[in-house]
């Protein structure tokens, strides 16, 4: 049979290129002091931390096991793996936890966090030499594959819903179509498909007729069943109408009735042999707006003589979720696909990189209305900006993702950071650090009206959910109730943070319902930093409830 070439498959994908024969990463990866665990692609990393990290503001959540939003180097210093002189550390990703405990160790006070979706541990250089990667074991019998496959990358915790769009055109032909199916068998085996982990379905793109949905997400949940279904899939031929197939996938495939799960990232992986016969751009825009992460896998690119037949040579970049090389993949030939199985699965199981998924981390606009009155002072004003930066680092800020904005107010208002001022997280963080202190009076009500009109007005009809966070240290000279009510009526969820002399009645008047979870108070400005997890978790809770 052409279909099950599993012994060859296991031999090739079990080779871990970045590691030598002793299980040691050939070259440690140099990272910055503030590199987070969530920035790492893959399940393990040998990282090289620089010296003098303690001189920076390091964010660390937990003790022993650290939330993925923690600084890797900060966690390593806190755990005693390295000192402030820097050094090599082994990071291992683990599942999310409840109750990350705060402790003071080695010059770093880690923070408490009630829960987070993913974590990591750190170990010393000595532990690196003892790494033993589990291997993938398989037999020639597909009925045994499910219980014998052990995933080297820990993808059993990969919770995603995936639609594979197969190329069923005359471009690919019967033989390569069979190789395409064989490639997907290997991907399915490595993913360890199941109801608690990744789910997969298949759509075949074909000529002028409607695309054929071959398998929905909930048709089968066992790898062996999916493999048999793939084997029975017939080659249909015709033109490569990938755009039409993608549009159909967006509109009809990812429904709750068809097995799509609430809160799980949704992925469409498109295979194209040669080039598409129709336009993909309109369908890709629809996919992005629907929160679907589109990956484009091209095989056997068109040769020079064929390029005149391609509608748009940049079709892959335009169709992918984001043109950043993560969502596009070039495979030279269907006869050399084995070595591409594991890298593709790693990408599909990296939720931090799935920028088109609609989550509370990449689909929110968070506006900060900050008190610049004379009672605050420059030092405390810097602590407010530090609080905003800490909140911002939890989000996937990009041109397609979440946005951070700042309006400073006294008697007047000033747009310090607009939602459209930047397209990357680094740009946003730099803009926040450079906000100058105004000094003056306190007119919070007028400031809310200004923020609703000028900060949120241009994005009000966009796909992101809107939040306004008010930070003040005193009594407003004007009414805050009517402006806050108008903001909430416009669809903006409001949080109120009071410091020092801020009256409770103003905070409650501004906060959305339920009031007790949308307003906070601290005696000192340095207490704001401890409230970062409360705000991040609160926004996530509001986002999920709205969904």
């Amino acid at each position: 049979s052409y279909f099950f070439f599993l012994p060859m498959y296991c031999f090739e994908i079990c080779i871990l290129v970045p590691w030598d024969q002793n299980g040691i990463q050939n070259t440690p990866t140099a990272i910055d002091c503030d590199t987070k665990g969530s920035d790492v692609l893959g399940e393990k990393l040998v990282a090289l931390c620089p010296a003098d990290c303690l001189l920076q503001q390091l964010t660390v959540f937990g003790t022993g096991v650290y939330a993925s939003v923690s600084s890797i180097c900060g966690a390593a210093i806190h755990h005693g793996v390295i000192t402030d002189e820097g050094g090599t550390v082994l990071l291992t990703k683990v599942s999310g936890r409840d109750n990350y405990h705060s402790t003071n160790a080695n010059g770093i006070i880690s923070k408490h966090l009630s829960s987070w979706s993913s974590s990591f541990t750190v170990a010393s250089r000595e532990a690196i030499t003892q790494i033993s990667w589990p291997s993938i074991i398989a037999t020639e019998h597909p009925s045994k594959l499910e219980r014998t496959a052990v995933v080297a990358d820990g993808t059993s915790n990969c919770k995603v819903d995936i639609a594979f769009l197969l190329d069923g055109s005359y471009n690919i032909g019967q033989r390569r179509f069979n190789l395409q199916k064989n490639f997907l068998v290997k991907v399915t085996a490595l993913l360890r498909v199941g109801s608690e982990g990744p789910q997969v379905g298949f759509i075949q793109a074909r000529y002028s007729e409607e695309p054929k949905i071959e398998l929905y997400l909930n048709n089968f949940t066992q790898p062996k069943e999916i493999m048999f279904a793939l084997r029975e899939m017939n080659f249909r031929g015709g033109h490569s109408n990938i755009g039409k197939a993608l549009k159909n996938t967006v509109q009809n495939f990812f429904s709750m009735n068809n097995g799509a799960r609430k809160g799980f990232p949704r992925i469409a992986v498109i295979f194209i042999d040669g080039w598409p016969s129709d336009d993909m751009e309109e369908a890709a825009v629809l996919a992005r707006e629907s929160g679907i992460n589109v990956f484009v896998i091209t095989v056997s690119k068109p040769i020079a003589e064929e390029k005149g037949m391609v509608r748009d040579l940049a079709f892959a970049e335009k169709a992918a979720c984001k043109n950043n090389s993560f969502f596009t993949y070039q495979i030279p030939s269907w006869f050399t696909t084995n070595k591409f199985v594991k890298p593709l699965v790693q990408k599909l199981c990296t939720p931090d990189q799935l920028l088109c998924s609609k989550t509370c981390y990449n689909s929110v606009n968070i506006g900060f209305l900050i008190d610049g009155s004379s009672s605050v002072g420059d030092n405390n004003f810097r602590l407010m900006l530090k609080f905003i930066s800490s909140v911002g680092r939890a989000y996937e800020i990009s041109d397609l993702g979440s946005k951070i904005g700042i309006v400073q107010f006294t008697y007047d208002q000033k747009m310090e950071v607009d939602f459209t001022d930047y397209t990357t997280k680094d740009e946003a963080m730099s803009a926040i650090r450079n906000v100058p202190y105004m000094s003056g009076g306190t007119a919070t009500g007028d400031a809310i009206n200004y923020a609703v009109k000028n900060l949120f007005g241009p994005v009000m009809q966009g796909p992101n959910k809107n939040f306004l966070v008010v930070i003040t240290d005193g009594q407003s000279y004007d009414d805050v109730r009517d402006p806050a009510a108008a903001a909430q009526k416009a669809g903006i969820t409001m949080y109120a943070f009071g410091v020092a002399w801020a009256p409770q009645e103003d905070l409650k008047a501004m906060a959305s319902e339920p009031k007790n979870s949308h307003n906070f108070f601290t005696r000192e400005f340095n207490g704001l930093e401890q409230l970062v997890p409360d705000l991040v978790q609160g926004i996530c809770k509001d986002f999920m409830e709205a969904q």
Side-chain angles (χ1 to χ4, degrees):
S1 168
Y2 66 81
F3 192 68
F4 293 104
F5 297 116
L6 292 173
M8 180 189 298
Y9 149 58
C10 289
F11 173 77
E12 291 196 30
I13 66 172
C14 287
I15 298 173
L16 298 169
V17 178
W19 302 77
D20 67 19
Q21 60 186 356
N22 297 315
I24 304 172
Q25 189 174 329
N26 291 326
T27 305
T29 300
I31 62 174
D32 297 327
C33 295
D34 59 354
T35 300
K36 299 182 297 183
S38 58
D39 295 330
V40 174
L41 179 64
E43 297 302 310
K44 288 180 182 286
L45 176 75
V46 178
L48 179 61
C49 291
D52 300 324
C53 282
L54 283 177
L55 297 178
Q56 301 187 29
Q57 184 64 40
L58 302 175
T59 302
V60 178
F61 296 97
T63 300
V65 176
Y66 301 92
S68 62
V69 288
S70 302
S71 156
I72 298 171
C73 298
I77 296 172
H78 181 266
H79 200 53
V81 171
I82 61 173
T83 67
D84 193 38
E85 295 179 358
T88 306
V89 55
L90 168 64
L91 175 145
T92 303
K93 288 191 176 180
V94 295
S95 59
R97 304 291 171 91
D98 293 330
N99 294 322
Y100 295 86
H101 297 293
S102 170
T103 57
N104 186 346
N106 302 312
I108 291 180
I109 302 176
S110 69
K111 300 170 186 176
H112 173 264
L113 192 60
S114 60
S115 65
W116 202 256
S117 58
S118 56
S119 316
F120 66 87
T121 61
V122 288
S124 64
R125 177 74 196 187
E126 290 72 24
I128 297 171
T129 62
Q130 302 173 13
I131 295 172
S132 176
W133 289 86
S135 61
I136 296 175
I137 305 167
T139 73
E140 294 180 355
H141 305 289
S143 61
K144 298 180 181 178
L145 185 61
E146 176 195 359
R147 65 173 179 268
T148 57
V150 181
V151 182
D153 295 302
T155 54
S156 57
N157 290 322
C158 173
K159 298 182 182 299
V160 292
D161 290 338
I162 308 173
F164 289 104
L165 279 69
L166 285 74
D167 190 339
S169 69
Y170 288 140
N171 282 355
I172 193 169
Q174 178 73 63
R175 186 184 183 196
R176 290 188 307 226
F177 182 75
N178 292 339
L179 291 173
Q180 180 181 210
K181 294 195 297 182
N182 190 49
F183 177 72
L184 287 172
V185 167
K186 302 165 188 177
V187 171
T188 300
L190 194 58
L191 279 170
R192 296 188 70 178
V193 171
S195 58
E196 298 302 317
Q199 292 187 156
V200 300
F202 302 94
I203 301 99
Q204 187 175 170
R206 52 181 180 165
Y207 45 109
S208 59
E209 300 175 81
E210 288 300 313
K212 171 67 173 174
I213 296 179
E214 306 279 2
L215 199 69
Y216 284 107
L217 293 166
N218 58 355
N219 285 152
F220 300 113
T221 58
Q222 301 300 320
K224 60 183 180 182
E225 297 171 330
I226 295 170
M227 292 172 196
F228 283 124
L230 272 168
R231 182 171 62 179
E232 296 300 316
M233 190 185 301
N234 295 320
F235 172 61
R236 299 184 180 277
H239 296 300
S240 182
N241 284 336
I242 300 294
K244 193 171 187 178
L246 178 57
K247 186 174 182 180
N248 181 274
T249 301
V250 173
Q251 295 174 336
N252 302 309
F253 185 83
F254 289 106
S255 70
M256 306 296 277
N257 290 336
N258 294 332
R261 296 166 292 185
K262 182 178 180 180
F264 282 48
R266 297 175 179 181
I267 300 171
V269 183
I270 301 173
F271 293 94
I272 302 177
D273 186 295
W275 63 91
S277 302
D278 61 349
D279 181 41
M280 296 176 61
E281 191 168 5
E282 180 184 350
V285 170
L286 181 63
R288 284 192 288 269
E289 291 176 349
S290 302
I292 297 172
N293 299 273
V294 177
F295 285 78
V296 180
I297 315 296
T298 55
V299 187
S300 303
K301 282 188 174 181
I303 61 176
E305 292 79 6
E306 296 172 325
K307 287 185 177 179
M309 304 171 65
V310 184
R311 291 192 179 190
D312 187 350
L313 291 174
F315 67 84
E317 291 76 13
K318 290 182 179 179
C321 166
K322 187 174 176 65
N323 183 19
N324 63 355
S325 77
F326 182 82
F327 292 93
T328 54
Y329 216 41
Q330 214 310 279
I331 298 178
S333 167
W334 285 112
F335 298 94
T336 59
T337 56
N338 282 341
K339 63 183 179 181
F340 295 98
V341 174
K342 181 172 174 284
L344 175 59
V345 169
Q346 285 180 319
K347 287 191 175 190
L348 300 180
C349 291
T350 312
D352 291 338
Q353 299 292 323
L354 301 179
L355 302 179
C356 285
S357 296
K358 289 187 178 299
T359 71
C360 60
Y361 302 111
N362 66 15
S363 299
V364 294
N365 300 320
I366 308 175
F368 289 89
L369 195 57
I370 56 175
D371 191 340
S373 62
S374 302
S375 59
V376 173
D378 188 69
N379 288 338
N380 288 333
F381 187 78
R382 296 296 137 199
L383 290 174
M384 276 196 285
L385 297 181
K386 178 185 171 185
F387 168 73
I388 296 171
S389 295
S390 297
V391 173
R393 279 193 289 268
Y395 294 89
E396 297 298 332
I397 299 172
S398 70
D399 54 343
L400 292 176
S402 293
K403 307 288 187 186
I404 299 290
I406 299 177
V407 171
Q408 184 178 177
F409 70 95
T410 57
Y411 286 129
D412 296 316
Q413 307 85 33
K414 183 181 178 185
M415 180 74 71
E416 302 287 4
V417 180
D418 201 345
F419 288 140
T420 57
D421 281 348
Y422 51 83
T423 58
T424 69
K425 182 181 291 191
D426 288 343
E427 290 175 355
M429 295 298 104
S430 176
I432 292 168
R433 286 192 299 269
N434 293 319
V435 173
Y437 172 49
M438 288 171 59
S439 185
T442 308
T444 314
D446 283 347
I448 295 173
N449 288 332
Y450 176 90
V452 171
K453 178 181 178 181
N454 297 282
L455 180 62
F456 288 96
V459 301
M460 198 68 79
Q461 302 305 316
N464 288 3
K465 181 166 175 55
N466 296 309
F467 294 85
L468 178 60
V469 180
V470 182
I471 310 173
T472 181
D473 79 331
Q475 175 80 51
S476 174
Y477 294 144
D478 60 359
D479 173 61
V480 297
R481 295 177 184 275
D482 289 344
Q488 293 169 40
K489 186 176 180 180
I492 301 171
T493 301
M494 291 191 61
Y495 282 82
F497 283 76
V499 186
W501 307 109
Q504 285 292 324
E505 56 269 23
D506 277 9
L507 300 180
K508 290 181 179 179
M510 291 185 287
S512 291
E513 295 287 350
K515 300 289 186 181
N516 61 349
S517 62
H518 287 81
N519 84 88
F520 299 89
F521 180 82
T522 176
R523 289 291 179 190
E524 305 289 341
F525 278 90
N526 56 18
L528 287 171
E529 192 72 14
Q530 303 300 318
L531 299 174
V532 170
D534 297 290
L535 178 57
V536 173
Q537 291 168 32
I539 289 174
C540 272
K541 185 173 185 293
D542 290 335
F543 181 89
M544 290 302 296
E545 289 178 354
Q547 293 297 97

